[in-house]
Amino acid sequence: MGTMRIDGHEIPFQENDNILKAALAANIEIPYFCYHAALGSLGACRLCAVEVASVDPAQKPRVVMSCLEFARDGLSVSVSAAAARQVRQRVIEFLMINHPHDCPVCDEGGECHLQDMTVACGPPYRRYRGRKRTFTNQYLGPLVHHEMNRCITCYRCTRFYQDYALGDDLGSMRLRNEVYFGRFQDGPLTSPFAGNLVEICPTGVFTDAVFRQHFARVWDLQTAPSICPHCSVGCNTLPGARDGTLRRVRNRFHPELNRWFICDRGRYGHQYSEHPDRPLTAQVAGVKMSYREALAAAAEQIKAAGDKTGGLGSTREDLESNAMLQTLLNKLSGRFATFSDPQLETATAAAVAALQSSGGAPSLAEIEQADAALVVGDLTAHAPMMDLALRQAYRNGAKLAILHSGPCLLTRFAATTLTVAPHEIGAQLLHLNEQAATASNASNQHKKELADIATCLTTAQRPILIGVSETMSAPEIAALVQLATALGSHARLAYALPGANAYGTTLLTPTNSTNAVLEAIELGQIQTLIVMGNDPLGDARLGARWRAARQRLSTLIVLDCVATTTAEAADILLPVAAWAERGGTFVNYEGRAQGFAPVFQRAEPLPNTVEVLADLAHCLELTLPDVPAVLNNLFPGYQTPFPGTMGPSLPAPSLTMQTDTTIGTASITHPGHWQVALTSWYGDDALASYAAALVELAPAAAVLIHPTAAFKEGIEDKEQVRLRGPAGTVVLPVQLNNDVAADTIALARVTLAQLGVGHGDLLELERIL
Amino acid sequence: MNKQTPALLIRLWHSLWTTLRHAWAKRETVSYPEIKRPLPGRWRGRIVLTRDPDGEERCVACYLCSAVCPVDCIHLQATQRDDGRRYPETFRIDFSRCIFCGFCEEACPTLAIQLTPDFEMCEQSHGELVYEKEQLLVEGQGKHPSYNFYRHAGIAITGKAIGEGVGDTPPVDHDTNLP
Ligand code: SF4
Ligand code: SF4
Ligand code: SF4
Ligand code: SF4
Ligand code: FES
């Protein structure tokens, strides 16, 4: 837009840039605390003082706050001017008056903005000999540690927590030089993004409570660019390890995805790799063995089974391992699948096909730009950072509409919320389609809401439709695609997929393979099953069937890094390296292939999945092509994405959408039966459920029912009820929840697994009188 | 006779005389180890970890000594006691690598790590020169008898709540807006 001069350097700036922003973009250092690219300027810290020459040479230059002053063409700025330097020095000196003598016991030390700025601008010694103001601290839950004495009142925490992430349980209190940042009362922070306080706070007020348990200084940490393995968004992260253990995970800037932030699942989920029960030694029939011995045993079984070998890949394993497992099974003429639930397979395949045909999903940065959005399902629990992106859209005035069956954090910000039982979602989407296409008045009990949603989507310039594929069926996914088509080419479509590599894995999954594998096992056509990073025996809906099928297998070989139900039932268990201990590629919901680098090695390194498969092939005297060759064959023109780069989109042959997309029109009511909705929460996925600190925050298991529905049945709050499912019976207390649809009970994933039912199934509820 | 000869002779005699003089001079060398010389207190020898006046470990496991060490011979792992005190779970110095530069002592913000005048650390193997915390931690405060880091720090430990440190005011009650 123009140029200005800073200490003799000509630097360019954009329209509406302030001096500080333009200077930072041009790599010129101006000290600052309270400015943040995501939060903007506030002028709270007064550290960013610079001297600006007056246009009129007769007038003296002025000292201004560079974060509050717009860059103007021809402006002449001096960072090094004595007057500006003096202001900055005084600011630091005043901040240090009350600052505790804490650096040695402060976890921020070494990466503390205040330390850096004090060394850069401040006087070397404290002249003030008076007494220091002090604050008591609060217990903020297992994730964030609070040490309020170290605050410099930059307001970054509340600006992030309240203004940016729209949380409401952390704020500023009191006045003058005694401003306090905390909660009304002690208690865990409720925002799914609370962990970002650790990074956003320039001092040691908020520090990582998990890292603290096993603390190391930042200069001792081994780091490498990585990708979060906990959901399909694929946020860029920077794990830090020391002495062969993983200590923490931080955000790594990606301009189109997570940018400056990650969710708490991504930040704290890594603890699964340090779980005390993590399998670290190979086992054959429950007996610990060396890797070589277990490998030989596995090879023997596979040889004996020949083409009666099956393989189950996983959506949480990288592209390389899934492709190699598929290749190995092709060599053996065995069967290959990647999901443990056929419904999930068809739904995910439909979602991936839809994403491919709709011209690619919007990135998080694009979602932030939306002016209307329809979300189907509980987005926060399945793709937390997509939720944060939508919150930005909401802040910018976007209208959100939510179609859901169970508890959903985003409803707070929704202009329209439609809460319907799982079976009815499809029908509502069809109605919405009609409304969007013809603006007709559908005869429906939710007429008003539907009309509202339709108007807001059709009038929007940049509407976005987001579906949570795990709680949608293939026809519902297709209905959402139709809606996107009806809205026109400016409408964008995104799906939260189940697993960090769900997109990539689905491209490798043969159609209807899960059913085929499961039936083949039941018919005795598969004797040896290789399960890689998957947990069929712990599947919510089909766990019981898999467990029964498992009895028909002669050998179950499991490759995993967590102690799942399947790993515990394995005949041969081959522990593998967790994601930070190896490199690989995840393909996120946009189809962006992102490489992650090995961060560290354990004291006794474990082989990675690809190595185990290669060793297995070697024992079987098979020659497998190497990984690049395999991937190039599958995805012509494939280039291994280099960790730390933007991530190219995967050149994939497109999947065809299953044409059978009929939706049962009306919901069938089943007297005495309830429809089950999955209620998840932001800290829950197959891996993060082994992270101790996160699990501490998991909502207590309960049967969530809408108050009206409960009243109709005469069920009271906190009353114990019995649920009977195909796999077992559980007794749980009822919890009334306004976000649950009528005729629906919302249950957590663990409860579903105990019962053996899935999202949308029917269940009987029995009162214990 | 060469012109230089007298000068050479003088120099020769001079060195002979010096040798002769030293043969009867007072000995500087002592028969170590039977006789030991007193060393100044600031001598940089074997490293110890000292305790504060309350008898508690001074080291707060801040990693500054290990960071500053030019030969990287200090290794520790921080942990925390239930009473809020930070301490090193393990603390290891490899004396076969240590060059006794004293940087760690200079860096230590709690005056915990100190070099002592003891240099007699011969061992049969390198391994035995790796000292663990049990061998490093001593009773007593070493060169700095009175310093107690936690009395000055802002964090709370059992026996010293927030606002009870040296030079602290009582904590602000953030539940009220009254002055
Ligand atoms: S916030 Fe920074 S300056 Fe303050 S005690 Fe911590 S490390 Fe030191
Ligand atoms: S707590 Fe941290 S982020 Fe918040 S105002 Fe204080 S220093 Fe700034
Ligand atoms: S949104 Fe997903 S990928 Fe991003 S940090 Fe959270 S769990 Fe990880
Ligand atoms: S510098 Fe001092 S307090 Fe810090 S780790 Fe070393 S001995 Fe402990
Ligand atoms: S950065 Fe400008 S006043 Fe804080």
Side-chain angles (χ1 to χ4, degrees):
Chain A
M1 276 295 119
T3 54
M4 59 174 178
R5 291 180 75 76
I6 299 190
D7 285 328
H9 301 278
E10 234 7 89
I11 67 156
F13 62 87
Q14 304 298 317
E15 175 98 44
N16 287 338
D17 270 4
N18 54 53
I19 300 177
L20 179 59
K21 190 173 174 195
L24 293 176
N27 275 329
I28 293 181
E29 298 266 348
I30 301 179
Y32 67 97
F33 284 123
C34 67
Y35 170 79
H36 188 285
L39 310 176
S41 309
L42 181 69
C45 72
R46 319 309 286 174
L47 184 67
C48 62
V50 292
E51 194 178 86
V52 173
S54 236
V55 195
D56 175 7
Q59 273 185 335
K60 278 209 207 139
R62 299 175 302 136
V63 171
V64 300
M65 293 304 132
S66 60
C67 70
L68 296 178
E69 197 88 353
F70 282 117
R72 274 175 283 125
D73 223 0
L75 201 68
S76 172
V77 176
S78 170
V79 184
S80 56
R85 272 221 308 269
Q86 197 191 20
V87 171
R88 296 200 296 266
Q89 195 182 49
R90 292 285 149 80
V91 167
I92 293 286
E93 188 165 16
F94 272 121
L95 286 176
M96 294 314 278
I97 276 180
N98 283 313
H99 202 74
H101 187 60
D102 264 4
C103 297
V105 286
C106 178
D107 292 353
E108 193 82 358
E111 50 189 342
C112 176
H113 207 80
L114 180 57
Q115 278 183 334
D116 294 349
M117 291 303 126
T118 307
V119 171
C121 325
Y125 294 102
R126 189 169 182 266
R127 287 186 289 172
Y128 173 73
R129 291 281 164 249
R131 304 216 293 165
K132 289 179 184 177
R133 170 212 60 207
T134 61
F135 292 112
T136 48
N137 307 316
Q138 288 179 326
Y139 172 74
L140 299 179
L143 306 182
V144 178
H145 180 82
H146 192 217
E147 205 64 64
M148 194 44 216
N149 281 346
R150 301 170 187 157
C151 179
I152 57 166
T153 341
C154 68
Y155 285 81
R156 271 188 181 197
C157 49
T158 50
R159 282 190 293 153
F160 169 74
Y161 200 92
Q162 291 188 350
D163 304 350
Y164 192 89
L166 304 176
D168 56 7
D169 62 328
L170 182 110
S172 48
M173 287 171 259
R174 262 195 89 88
L175 66 181
R176 297 194 322 261
N177 69 334
E178 294 177 346
V179 184
Y180 188 89
F181 297 86
R183 304 180 84 240
F184 276 137
Q185 276 164 350
D186 283 30
L189 294 166
T190 55
S191 170
F193 313 102
N196 289 304
L197 289 175
V198 171
E199 283 182 68
I200 206 94
C201 177
T203 73
V205 176
F206 298 107
T207 51
D208 186 330
V210 172
F211 184 28
R212 187 181 170 81
Q213 293 164 11
H214 211 192
F215 184 69
R217 289 276 176 222
V218 55
W219 57 71
D220 283 332
L221 292 177
Q222 281 168 279
T223 57
S226 192
I227 303 297
C228 176
H230 296 293
C231 88
S232 64
V233 176
C235 295
N236 288 219
T237 57
L238 196 67
R242 182 170 184 253
D243 286 346
T245 55
L246 187 56
R247 302 292 176 91
R248 73 161 182 195
V249 167
R250 284 210 147 201
N251 151 75
R252 186 164 59 80
F253 186 83
H254 187 293
E256 287 168 17
L257 287 174
N258 53 313
R259 305 212 267 178
W260 300 272
F261 308 110
I262 53 172
C263 77
D264 284 3
R265 190 200 295 179
R267 189 180 301 273
Y268 299 104
H270 68 84
Q271 262 192 313
Y272 79 84
S273 74
E274 302 299 330
H275 194 279
D277 294 339
R278 173 171 171 193
L280 295 169
T281 335
Q283 286 179 21
V284 177
V287 183
K288 290 198 171 150
M289 299 250 165
S290 78
Y291 171 62
R292 290 280 148 205
E293 285 166 323
L295 201 63
E300 200 177 301
Q301 296 299 329
I302 294 170
K303 222 179 239 166
D307 63 352
K308 290 191 164 184
T309 306
L312 198 62
S314 161
T315 57
R316 66 172 152 93
E317 282 289 338
D318 51 11
L319 196 60
E320 288 83 349
S321 356
N322 278 299
M324 287 312 271
L325 183 61
Q326 190 197 36
T327 314
L328 178 69
L329 282 152
N330 283 347
K331 288 260 172 193
L332 293 164
S333 323
R335 284 193 172 84
F336 173 70
T338 51
F339 287 84
S340 54
D341 183 341
Q343 278 186 13
L344 193 60
E345 181 197 310
T346 36
T348 314
V352 171
L355 289 172
Q356 282 183 329
S357 63
S358 73
S363 65
L364 294 190
E366 284 167 321
I367 294 178
E368 288 182 8
Q369 302 302 321
D371 58 355
L374 170 68
V375 180
V376 184
D378 179 8
L379 194 60
T380 323
H382 292 87
M385 285 301 284
M386 261 194 222
D387 163 307
L388 188 63
L390 273 185
R391 289 180 195 215
Q392 302 322 304
Y394 167 79
R395 286 178 60 206
N396 296 330
K399 288 236 168 5
L400 307 188
I402 303 195
L403 183 54
H404 71 118
S405 318
C408 176
L409 282 182
L410 263 179
T411 50
R412 269 180 56 202
F413 314 112
T416 323
T417 311
L418 202 51
T419 315
V420 295
H423 281 181
E424 277 179 61
I425 297 268
Q428 300 301 337
L429 282 172
L430 287 186
H431 289 311
L432 204 52
N433 249 326
E434 289 164 22
Q435 291 251 339
T438 61
S440 73
N441 282 330
S443 54
N444 188 285
Q445 76 215 49
H446 299 297
K447 207 160 62 187
K448 185 176 172 310
E449 283 92 344
L450 283 174
D452 283 353
I453 301 177
T455 334
C456 121
L457 289 177
T458 42
T459 53
Q461 303 294 313
R462 299 174 300 279
I464 286 191
L465 308 178
I466 305 181
V468 174
S469 71
E470 195 178 345
T471 54
M472 291 172 84
S473 63
E476 286 160 6
I477 285 168
L480 199 61
V481 178
Q482 281 169 19
L483 181 57
T485 322
L487 288 174
S489 58
H490 58 292
R492 308 289 301 271
L493 186 63
Y495 286 99
L497 305 173
N501 192 37
Y503 193 111
T505 305
T506 306
L507 293 174
L508 303 172
T509 311
T511 317
N512 263 327
S513 56
T514 313
N515 234 341
V517 165
L518 187 50
E519 276 167 12
I521 299 173
E522 285 167 343
L523 293 172
Q525 290 163 357
I526 291 181
Q527 283 180 357
T528 299
L529 181 70
I530 310 171
V531 176
M532 179 190 79
N534 206 330
D535 185 20
L537 272 51
D539 185 79
R541 207 164 63 85
L542 295 183
R545 192 167 153 206
W546 277 102
R547 287 193 288 274
R550 191 253 171 278
Q551 303 305 326
R552 307 225 41 184
L553 287 172
S554 61
T555 320
L556 175 64
I557 303 169
V558 177
L559 281 64
D560 211 339
C561 57
V562 280
T564 59
T565 317
T566 312
E568 268 155 20
D571 296 311
I572 300 174
L573 175 63
L574 292 162
V576 291
W579 110 105
E581 297 152 26
R582 61 150 203 252
T585 307
F586 288 143
V587 186
N588 83 345
Y589 75 99
E590 304 163 278
R592 190 194 293 269
Q594 301 192 99
F596 54 97
V599 178
F600 74 107
Q601 276 211 323
R602 304 188 70 83
E604 283 164 23
L606 292 170
N608 72 38
T609 336
V610 172
E611 283 164 4
V612 176
L613 293 173
D615 289 346
L616 211 49
H618 184 76
C619 291
L620 291 165
E621 286 144 18
L622 295 173
T623 38
L624 290 188
D626 62 350
V627 179
V630 169
L631 288 174
N632 239 310
N633 189 27
L634 288 165
F635 309 112
Y638 177 81
Q639 298 244 312
T640 313
F642 195 69
T645 56
M646 293 269 287
S649 79
L650 188 70
S654 55
L655 291 181
T656 39
M657 188 121 176
Q658 297 303 102
T659 37
D660 174 31
T661 52
T662 39
I663 289 178
T665 36
S667 67
I668 335 103
T669 45
H670 304 266
H673 281 76
W674 300 72
Q675 284 187 42
V676 174
L678 165 71
T679 166
S680 191
W681 70 291
Y682 65 82
D684 182 34
D685 80 324
L687 296 172
S689 53
Y690 292 89
L694 267 182
V695 170
E696 231 181 276
L697 290 173
V703 179
L704 306 185
I705 306 183
H706 193 277
T708 324
F711 181 73
K712 226 164 55 189
E713 302 287 325
I715 300 171
E716 275 166 36
D717 197 13
K718 301 205 177 67
E719 160 182 349
Q720 299 278 329
V721 292
R722 185 179 291 119
L723 300 172
R724 233 185 273 280
T729 309
V730 293
V731 175
L732 282 176
V734 168
Q735 215 178 71
L736 299 185
N737 189 309
N738 286 318
D739 277 347
V740 183
D743 306 327
T744 305
I745 51 178
L747 299 170
R749 211 186 296 269
V750 270
T751 317
L752 294 187
Q754 285 165 349
L755 292 166
V757 293
H759 180 82
D761 288 351
L762 294 175
L763 203 62
E764 256 180 291
L765 181 148
E766 226 177 85
R767 300 187 61 193
I768 305 173
L769 296 170
Chain B
M1 207 160 86
N2 194 308
K3 240 192 332 192
Q4 292 171 350
T5 312
L8 278 173
L9 277 178
I10 291 170
R11 267 194 257 164
L12 194 63
W13 279 113
H14 186 80
S15 47
L16 274 176
W17 169 241
T18 308
T19 314
L20 222 58
R21 192 160 47 88
H22 277 275
W24 280 280
K26 182 172 169 284
R27 299 285 186 275
E28 289 292 337
T29 318
V30 296
S31 318
Y32 178 84
E34 286 78 23
I35 301 166
K36 292 183 177 161
R37 310 205 84 163
L39 293 173
R42 285 166 57 184
W43 180 271
R44 300 197 305 263
R46 179 172 58 91
I47 298 170
V48 293
L49 290 174
T50 59
R51 293 176 184 273
D52 66 20
D54 298 339
E56 300 281 7
E57 266 176 67
R58 256 184 183 151
C59 172
V60 298
C62 71
Y63 291 96
L64 288 184
C65 52
S66 78
V68 77
C69 177
V71 292
D72 249 349
C73 71
I74 304 182
H75 181 281
L76 67 145
Q77 175 55 54
T79 189
Q80 191 170 0
R81 269 185 2 195
D82 291 341
D83 65 0
R85 290 181 77 108
R86 282 288 181 96
Y87 72 98
E89 193 173 24
T90 57
F91 199 111
R92 188 174 300 141
I93 300 181
D94 182 351
F95 281 115
S96 70
R97 242 155 86 180
C98 178
I99 54 168
F100 301 97
C101 63
F103 281 11
C104 51
E105 180 169 359
E106 263 184 65
C108 182
T110 65
L111 309 182
I113 198 165
Q114 295 177 12
L115 280 78
T116 65
D118 175 16
F119 58 88
E120 296 166 313
M121 308 176 67
C122 305
E123 299 290 354
Q124 304 282 355
S125 71
H126 280 283
E128 286 168 79
L129 280 168
V130 178
Y131 278 38
E132 296 294 337
K133 189 172 143 190
E134 301 77 67
Q135 292 149 285
L136 296 168
L137 188 64
V138 297
E139 299 297 324
Q141 298 136 38
K143 299 172 213 176
H144 308 283
S146 57
Y147 188 65
N148 191 337
F149 170 77
Y150 282 110
R151 300 284 143 211
H152 299 270
I155 63 167
I157 56 166
T158 306
K160 193 211 86 176
I162 295 276
E164 290 176 6
V166 175
D168 282 353
T169 51
V172 170
D173 177 6
H174 55 264
D175 285 340
T176 163
N177 264 350
L178 296 175

